[in-house]
Amino acid sequence: MIERIWSGKSPLYLLLLPLAWLYGLVSGAIRLSYKLGLRKAWHSPVPVVVVGNLTAGGNGKTPVVIWLVEQLQARGIRAGVVSRGYGGKAENYPLLLTPQSTTDQAGDEPVLIYQRTGAPVAVAPDRSAAVKALIEHAQPQIIITDDGLQHYALARAKEIVVVDGVRRFGNGWWLPAGPMRERAGRLQSVDAVIVNGGEAKAGEIAMCLQPGEAVNLNTDERRAVQTLQNVVAMAGIGHPPRFFATLKQCGLEPVRTVGLADHQALNEADVSKLVQSGQTLLMTEKDAVKCRAFAAGHDNWWYLPVDAHLSEPQAAQLLDSVSALIK
């Protein structure tokens, strides 16, 4: 229902417009207060690059963070990552991730980024505190924030916005009448717009998510995803249909698909019930970081990693502009 409302296919959004106007008024006032200096943003001594979005729901932001970190590492640049750690609850903040950090503590996306890149990652509701912890303990040359475009308490040297190229901005209204955290005009003030799928417009950087080989959660065996049999596909991400569409593009037709809420907590009993004898469970890498803790004995559990690929020469130009922030 919410997808129909946000997409503009249902007129029910009209009932929510008063709340949307209130949301827009409050969020606009907060941003204006920082622009006028009524509130002071904290300026990090290390350049901060925000990778965020204008809409609620998944749009491929985390793969962009991973891509950016890995590309900077390839250039010999020490990059760190900070996140709010949504979905996790640590005993103390800021939390610096270690190989023992769990998604219950740090949230699924920070753990995924840490495991994929090996970069230092810190989480805290106050992102400035997370940045300070990274600077003290990891000495990064540059810091990437996973989300946080609207977290104006942290000053930033560059803003990158990721847009779902298929859904774009739906009906264009603020939450809850539409998907917008900020209106589309905000794109005029950011440094780069990356469009995941669909058609990129002039001045935007086209991006696609390319799947790799399926990976077994227990053995780390890699296999072409098309070779998996009797697959039940599970996706607990912001927009599960994107994962299921990726499987079809790979030539895989699951016997059943299960869409879960983004950041939904998972346990062994519930996940085990999704598959019957002789079936294979295939999940996103984001789900896998939550399931790995209780995957022992489930040799039929696999995940499919995806990598962001950005169009050239825009990708190289973006990397050059980010690298140039380092003094």
Side-chain angles (χ1 to χ4, degrees):
M1 175 60 76
I2 195 66
E3 285 288 338
R4 284 184 55 82
I5 293 174
W6 284 1
S7 68
K9 295 178 180 178
S10 170
L12 291 179
Y13 77 92
L14 295 170
L15 300 177
L16 299 172
L17 280 180
L19 293 176
W21 291 330
L22 178 60
Y23 182 98
L25 177 65
V26 172
S27 61
I30 291 173
R31 185 184 177 207
L32 183 61
S33 69
Y34 282 102
K35 289 183 67 175
L36 296 177
L38 301 177
R39 297 188 185 189
K40 298 295 184 183
W42 181 71
H43 289 261
S44 166
V46 174
V48 171
V49 176
V50 170
V51 178
N53 52 29
L54 299 185
T55 59
N59 53 19
K61 173 178 50 59
T62 299
V64 170
V65 171
I66 292 172
W67 173 85
L68 184 56
V69 170
E70 290 179 338
Q71 293 295 321
L72 291 172
Q73 289 172 334
R75 294 186 173 204
I77 296 171
R78 298 190 309 277
V81 179
V82 301
S83 171
R84 177 174 178 265
Y86 188 86
K89 189 174 182 180
E91 292 184 4
N92 298 290
Y93 289 108
L95 173 67
L96 287 165
L97 270 64
T98 70
Q100 289 72 43
S101 297
T102 66
T103 57
D104 289 338
Q105 297 170 320
D108 43 23
E109 287 154 343
V111 174
L112 170 57
I113 293 168
Y114 179 78
Q115 291 181 354
R116 277 288 296 268
T117 68
V121 178
V123 300
D126 178 1
R127 289 180 178 82
S128 299
V131 171
K132 293 173 184 177
L134 274 187
I135 293 173
E136 179 180 357
H137 296 283
Q139 297 84 46
Q141 294 172 285
I142 194 167
I143 292 173
I144 314 300
T145 74
D146 181 29
D147 209 354
L149 184 67
Q150 291 79 32
H151 187 75
Y152 292 111
L154 175 62
R156 65 288 307 264
K158 194 172 291 291
E159 294 179 325
I160 301 170
V161 168
V162 185
V163 175
D164 184 319
V166 175
R167 294 180 294 165
R168 301 291 298 192
F169 306 122
N171 62 17
W173 280 104
W174 291 293
L175 294 163
M180 307 301 292
R181 298 176 179 177
E182 296 181 275
R183 299 296 288 274
R186 177 73 167 84
L187 294 181
Q188 304 302 316
S189 62
V190 304
D191 299 283
V193 179
I194 298 174
V195 177
N196 180 16
E199 293 291 333
K201 298 180 180 180
E204 299 176 339
I205 303 174
M207 162 189 151
C208 64
L209 294 176
Q210 295 188 358
E213 292 183 308
V215 183
N216 188 280
L217 263 72
N218 276 322
T219 66
D220 289 329
E221 175 191 351
R222 293 179 177 270
R223 185 183 299 179
V225 67
Q226 301 92 333
T227 65
L228 299 179
Q229 302 293 318
N230 298 320
V231 169
V232 174
M234 178 185 85
I237 56 178
H239 189 54
R242 180 185 290 118
F243 179 64
F244 305 142
T246 297
L247 297 183
K248 290 185 178 181
Q249 291 168 4
C250 292
L252 180 68
E253 287 284 350
V255 298
R256 186 161 66 96
T257 60
V258 181
L260 305 175
D262 197 13
H263 305 292
Q264 180 172 326
L266 300 175
N267 59 62
E268 183 177 7
D270 290 341
V271 175
S272 298
K273 292 177 183 176
L274 297 178
V275 289
Q276 301 174 358
S277 177
Q279 291 183 329
T280 298
L281 182 63
L282 180 61
M283 63 188 74
T284 70
E285 189 174 13
K286 185 174 172 180
D287 296 310
V289 297
K290 291 185 282 189
C291 293
R292 195 180 297 277
F294 49 81
H298 298 282
D299 293 334
N300 61 332
W301 289 8
W302 297 72
Y303 69 90
L304 184 66
V306 295
D307 292 305
H309 286 258
L310 279 64
S311 61
E312 296 290 356
Q314 295 94 330
Q317 293 167 352
L318 175 60
L319 286 169
D320 288 343
S321 69
V322 171
S323 301
L325 296 173
I326 301 170
K327 299 178 181 178

